Amino acid sequence: MSWIRHEVFVNTLYIIAFSLMIYGLMKLTSPKTAVRGNWIAAVGMTVAFVATLLKDEMGHNWLLIVVALVIGSAIGVPAARKVKMTAMPQMVALFNGVGGGAVALIAWAEFRNTDAYAHEPKYMAIASLFAALVGSVSFWGSNIAFGKLQEILPGRPITLGRLQQPVNLLVLLGAVACAVAIVAGADSELLMIGLLVLAALAGVFVVLPIGGADMPVVISMLNALTGLSAAAMGLALNNTALIVAGMLVGASGSILTNLMAKAMNRSIPAIVAGGFGGGSDTGGGATGGTDRPVRSTSAADAAIQMAYASKVVVVPGYGMAVAQAQHAVKEMAELLEAKGVDVAFAIHPVAGRMPGHMNVLLAEADVPYEQLKEMDEINSQFAQTDVSLVIGANDVTNPAAETNPNSPIYGMPVLKVNQSKSVIVLKRSMSSGFAGIENELFYDSKTAMLFGDAKASVTDIVEELKQL
Amino acid sequence: MENLVLIQNLAIVVLAGFTGFLVISQVPNTLHTPLMSATNAIHGIVVLGAVLVLGMGVGDDVVSGIILFVAVVFGAINVVGGFVVTDRMLGMFKQKPGQAGSVSKGKADK
């Protein structure tokens, strides 16, 4: 049975493993096959894991490994099972962070085990140090993102003002300098710790100034970074499975990051440079104070208005997620449809706090996905829409993005809600959105505001609809 | 020899990157969250790296042992939690039986 531990056999298993992962990801292209796709990828992961255990080099610390795996699973599984769908972005951020943290720690241990890469080829040292740097950035960045999403930290940008960019750059350069020194032959462990700490600071400084509205971009970017660090670790360990899996994630994360940034009409460097929202004071330009009159309405009026409409478009945003209003919204949509109203949901690509956030929530509430319309499709339909019901969405409906060149969000593609015949906005108060920008839509003469918690308001509307 | 290994591995890096790019480009907006969550689970493969380095032994270096122990815990949380959470998320996209035709007028997608 010696062949079973032979390198050829192990590497063959690796090939099977990453083929399964790629095949699994291919299945994710359709909601019908996606569940199976996920499990195919998981099987691939298991194969890779078994192959690793068979490796010839393995032979120590079995007990430690088993205990660590059990602890990890005991933390991961219940967390994954219990997390509320609305808390999904922070869960993903957290899982992403520990992945990056693991990479950084492996690199650190490697540094210690190999006497600062004394007898290793240069490229291994470089790959390992790259993995350490990126992994540490990803770990701490993800933790800050988690803190912001969990509202442990304020969601508004926290910046050092004008010093932010130079400080970020300096910290990053410091980390790179440590890495260069190690590659050049310095063997002090302080350099390695310095690298990890500086990279950690870079992660913290980069994510702290980023406002809540930019979170979808940040999360997918951190995901890509962890993937790349895993691939680099694969190079350092000469492990094909790690390389392939890491690169798959790196590529997918990069695509998503790019898509999200495009949906906000902002460049990735601009987002990373941070300070979006909050810092922009009144939202730049023509919007005067908060004293302008708005029209408010009642749940009863809103219900009547929608019940006698022929087409209603629901525009969900982060407010719906926070209020957990998705089930009430689904019930409302059903009642309206029973009355013969055509109901659709308009999904902005960056609504919520991670890519596709609204889709997941509405899917949880069993809203059929044919009713979910992407921005390009629905924007041509607003002109024929009688009532647009905006539930806790703000910046993605702001017409200033199209009309006011001074607005910080000018040029960002938005849902053209203001083209519909009337608009009802569900909102807790007149406070501005995460981007800290006033929304012109609220002051439009055809807009009526229904103040209150989104879930309570929708539930009231549902009650009124039942009585009609 | 070492350089040859590096070049071969770099070839894998490039090909895997393009493969990822092609596969992921096909995923619709609707599934972006589960996609991110699934790829998130996939980079949990770092747990293999941690297990491998720990399994190769750290001599009597206790600190390295602790570092790697934590790395395995982290990796396991990432990979196991990631797949479970993705499964839960995707379960919601399934058309529940008996519900498809009731109120939603939308025809089943092709």
Side-chain angles (χ1 to χ4, degrees), chain A residues 188-427:
Chain A
S188 164
E189 191 172 8
L190 283 178
L191 281 173
M192 187 66 186
I193 294 173
L195 182 154
L196 291 172
V197 171
L198 287 169
L201 283 177
V204 172
F205 285 161
V206 165
V207 179
L208 265 186
I210 295 178
D214 280 349
M215 273 303 158
V217 188
V218 176
I219 293 193
S220 47
M221 189 180 71
L222 291 169
N223 195 31
L225 285 181
T226 310
L228 290 179
S229 70
M233 189 41 83
L235 278 179
L237 295 174
N238 188 18
N239 186 306
T240 333
L242 244 73
I243 298 177
V244 174
M247 283 311 293
L248 286 177
V249 183
S252 83
S254 311
I255 295 177
L256 277 184
T257 312
N258 210 4
L259 279 178
M260 294 301 114
K262 245 190 223 154
M264 308 176 90
N265 191 41
R266 319 222 297 114
S267 73
I268 296 166
I271 291 169
V272 175
F276 182 55
S280 47
D281 303 323
T282 55
T287 57
T290 43
D291 336 315
R292 287 191 297 164
V294 292
R295 196 155 60 86
S296 64
T297 186
S298 67
D301 284 342
I304 292 169
Q305 210 181 340
M306 286 192 290
Y308 294 102
S310 62
K311 185 172 176 64
V312 170
V313 174
V314 179
V315 182
Y318 188 54
M320 184 186 81
V322 173
Q324 306 250 32
Q326 65 271 29
H327 295 281
V329 170
K330 154 78 175 168
E331 198 183 352
M332 184 192 75
E334 279 186 350
L335 285 167
L336 287 172
E337 291 205 307
K339 291 182 190 300
V341 182
D342 183 10
V343 182
F345 290 81
I347 312 292
H348 192 280
V350 294
R353 290 293 175 267
M354 69 178 168
H357 195 181
M358 292 302 125
N359 299 87
V360 178
L361 287 179
L362 293 170
E364 185 202 6
D366 288 340
V367 174
Y369 43 77
E370 301 86 57
Q371 282 185 2
L372 309 182
K373 308 289 186 198
E374 288 177 18
M375 182 164 58
D376 293 337
E377 190 184 350
I378 198 76
N379 263 350
S380 58
Q381 297 177 20
F382 276 115
Q384 293 93 51
T385 300
D386 299 302
V387 183
S388 289
L389 184 69
V390 179
I391 306 177
N394 192 346
D395 300 326
V396 297
T397 63
N398 194 341
E402 296 190 310
T403 56
N404 180 2
N406 294 323
S407 171
I409 59 168
Y410 182 67
M412 164 174 157
V414 287
L415 294 163
K416 299 177 182 181
V417 175
N418 61 335
Q419 288 182 357
S420 54
K421 297 194 183 82
S422 65
V423 181
I424 302 169
V425 178
L426 267 52
K427 208 170 176 320

Side-chain angles (χ1 to χ4, degrees), chain A residues 21 26 28-32 34-35 38-39 42 45 48-49 52 55 57-61 64-65 68-69 72 76-77 80-83 85 88 92 95-96 98-99 102-103 105-106 108-109 112-113 121 123 139 219 223 226 230 235 237-238 240-245 247-249 251-252 255-256 259 330 334 337 354-357 359-360 363-364 366 368-370 374, chain B residues 2 5-6 9-10 12-13 16-17 19-21 23-58 61 63-64 67-96 99 103-107 109:
Chain A
M21 286 180 209
M26 284 162 72
L28 273 184
T29 48
S30 145
K32 291 209 152 107
V35 178
N38 182 48
W39 285 115
M45 184 65 72
F49 187 73
T52 306
K55 268 183 169 268
E57 302 98 303
M58 293 283 299
H60 301 269
N61 299 321
L64 271 184
I65 291 173
L69 287 173
V77 173
R81 283 198 181 283
K82 283 195 196 117
V83 62
M85 276 300 134
M88 212 42 101
V92 172
F95 285 156
N96 182 54
V98 287
V103 175
L105 290 173
I106 300 169
W108 186 10
R112 295 175 59 92
N113 290 352
Y123 81 83
F139 177 67
I219 293 193
N223 195 31
T226 310
L235 278 179
L237 295 174
N238 188 18
T240 333
L242 244 73
I243 298 177
V244 174
M247 283 311 293
L248 286 177
V249 183
S252 83
I255 295 177
L256 277 184
L259 279 178
K330 154 78 175 168
E334 279 186 350
E337 291 205 307
M354 69 178 168
H357 195 181
N359 299 87
V360 178
E364 185 202 6
D366 288 340
Y369 43 77
E370 301 86 57
E374 288 177 18
Chain B
E2 271 158 0
V5 171
L6 173 65
N9 281 341
L10 283 180
I12 298 176
V13 165
T19 308
F21 195 86
V23 171
I24 307 302
S25 315
Q26 315 288 323
V27 177
N29 275 1
T30 319
L31 289 177
H32 275 168
T33 294
L35 167 73
M36 208 175 62
S37 173
T39 56
N40 189 18
I42 285 179
H43 69 50
I45 197 157
V46 296
V47 73
L48 300 194
V51 166
L52 188 61
V53 179
L54 186 56
M56 290 192 301
V58 290
D61 185 348
V63 179
S64 285
I67 293 173
L68 286 168
F69 182 81
V70 177
V72 177
V73 173
F74 276 6
I77 295 178
N78 185 178
V79 69
V80 179
F83 278 117
V84 172
V85 100
T86 311
D87 183 58
R88 256 190 73 194
M89 230 184 264
L90 286 171
M92 289 165 187
F93 285 90
K94 268 191 280 194
Q95 283 283 17
K96 273 97 188 165
Q99 184 244 324
V103 258
S104 63
K105 301 179 282 195
K107 295 173 195 78
D109 64 336

Side-chain angles (χ1 to χ4, degrees), chain A residues 49-138:
Chain A
F49 187 73
V50 172
T52 306
L53 295 185
L54 291 175
K55 268 183 169 268
D56 216 13
E57 302 98 303
M58 293 283 299
H60 301 269
N61 299 321
W62 286 110
L63 184 66
L64 271 184
I65 291 173
V66 172
V67 172
L69 287 173
V70 170
I71 294 178
S73 309
I75 298 171
V77 173
R81 283 198 181 283
K82 283 195 196 117
V83 62
K84 285 191 188 132
M85 276 300 134
T86 41
M88 212 42 101
Q90 45 273 51
M91 198 77 239
V92 172
L94 207 60
F95 285 156
N96 182 54
V98 287
V103 175
L105 290 173
I106 300 169
W108 186 10
E110 271 216 297
F111 175 91
R112 295 175 59 92
N113 290 352
T114 58
D115 296 322
Y117 312 106
H119 312 290
E120 307 290 323
K122 282 271 181 276
Y123 81 83
M124 273 193 182
I126 294 172
S128 179
L129 290 167
F130 175 85
L133 202 160
V134 178
S136 184
V137 167
S138 174

